[in-house]
Amino acid sequence: RKEVEQDPGPFNVPEGATVAFNCTYSNSASQSFFWYRQDCRKEPKLLMSVYSSGNEDGRFTAQLNRASQYISLLIRDSKLSDSATYLCVVKGLTGGGNKLTFGTGTQLKVEL
Amino acid sequence: EAGVTQFPSHSVIEKGQTVTLRCDPISGHDNLYWYRRVMGKEIKFLLHFVKESKQDESGMPNNRFLAERTGGTYSTLKVQPAELEDSGVYFCASSQVTEYNSPLHFGNGTRLTVT
């Protein structure tokens, strides 16, 4: 079983739609959680951290459920520029607390 | 502020050859990480430097991979001899502090193809 699991997609949605991505992680001792965005042939970039109480940044809302070991990302009013791969990332699974463990990513395509 | 820079951006070598990848972290960032994405797989941790010291090298696949960070500035990752399965994108990242929520800044990556 992978340490971080995501549905690879692709999710094809029309502009303006709301889309949600889910992610599960295997180690209950994980310390912190992030969503990264990666454009085609580019480096991953931090989209947002995920806090236990849930957090929002503009059109993006992240939720964490520690009991179910589940993380989600909700994107409202999708834009064409949101098309990218969204990586669920967990920190602190093994050894030192600064090693990031990535999911394979969920691909989003926003269409006209 | 200049970001994390990596060189070369692409490298195509034959099996058995040697390749050296370079990473220049953001100035002042003590923490430097190497990650790798093999085709179709997730990005995986290779190792972590704090200044010039290897903090964690548990992700290094085997002894064909050698990472250095002399002087605690830029880092190199040498693959010798390269094998076909080493093909992938090698990312370098840096961060200023090691607190649990400190963001990592990634470079554009080096795309390595071993033929």
Side-chain angles (χ1 to χ4, degrees):
Chain A
R1 184 187 171 189
K2 289 182 180 177
E3 293 175 273
V4 178
E5 297 227 41
Q6 295 181 252
D7 180 343
F11 284 59
N12 299 312
V13 303
E15 202 174 15
T18 294
V19 61
F21 304 137
N22 303 319
C23 164
T24 57
Y25 60 96
S26 61
N27 192 323
S28 59
S30 300
Q31 297 293 316
S32 49
F33 311 88
F34 310 89
W35 283 100
Y36 275 71
R37 170 192 168 131
Q38 186 173 24
D39 292 284
C40 187
R41 293 183 171 262
K42 298 285 188 180
E43 74 277 19
K45 290 185 178 177
L46 178 64
L47 178 66
M48 59 196 301
S49 300
V50 186
Y51 302 114
S52 296
S53 54
N55 48 299
E56 189 174 303
D57 182 2
R59 298 181 293 107
F60 299 84
T61 301
Q63 298 275 355
L64 168 65
N65 184 324
R66 284 188 183 270
S68 302
Q69 295 176 206
Y70 169 97
I71 306 159
S72 66
L73 176 68
L74 183 78
I75 305 176
R76 290 182 300 278
D77 188 23
S78 302
K79 311 291 185 191
L80 294 175
S81 57
D82 293 334
S83 298
T85 296
Y86 290 82
L87 304 167
C88 178
V89 183
V90 177
K91 184 186 265 190
L93 283 179
T94 57
N98 292 293
K99 184 189 306 181
L100 297 183
T101 301
F102 287 79
T104 52
T106 298
Q107 189 178 9
L108 172 65
K109 295 180 181 178
V110 182
E111 303 162 332
L112 287 170
Chain B
E1 177 188 73
V4 177
T5 56
Q6 293 186 245
F7 181 84
S9 56
H10 292 84
S11 180
V12 181
I13 60 172
E14 292 182 355
K15 177 182 171 181
Q17 290 186 320
T18 297
V19 63
T20 300
L21 314 181
R22 173 173 169 142
C23 169
D24 286 77
I26 292 172
S27 178
H29 282 194
D30 288 342
N31 295 278
L32 187 150
Y33 306 80
W34 284 98
Y35 285 83
R36 175 175 77 166
R37 184 169 203 159
V38 172
M39 177 80 76
K41 302 280 190 180
E42 64 274 21
I43 297 171
K44 285 197 169 179
F45 169 85
L46 295 178
L47 88 160
H48 170 206
F49 282 100
V50 177
K51 297 185 180 179
E52 68 275 9
S53 300
K54 289 177 185 173
Q55 180 80 4
D56 181 351
E57 53 183 329
S58 60
M60 295 288 263
N62 52 60
N63 59 10
R64 295 186 294 103
F65 289 76
L66 175 63
E68 295 180 320
R69 192 182 182 197
T70 308
T73 54
Y74 71 91
S75 174
T76 57
L77 178 65
K78 181 191 287 188
V79 185
Q80 179 182 30
E83 298 289 344
L84 298 178
E85 65 264 25
D86 300 334
S87 296
V89 182
Y90 289 76
F91 290 105
C92 176
S94 72
S95 69
Q96 193 166 23
V97 295
T98 56
E99 290 170 6
Y100 76 99
N101 253 352
S102 58
L104 291 193
H105 302 266
F106 282 83
N108 289 336
T110 293
R111 187 171 298 273
L112 174 65
T113 303
V114 182
T115 63

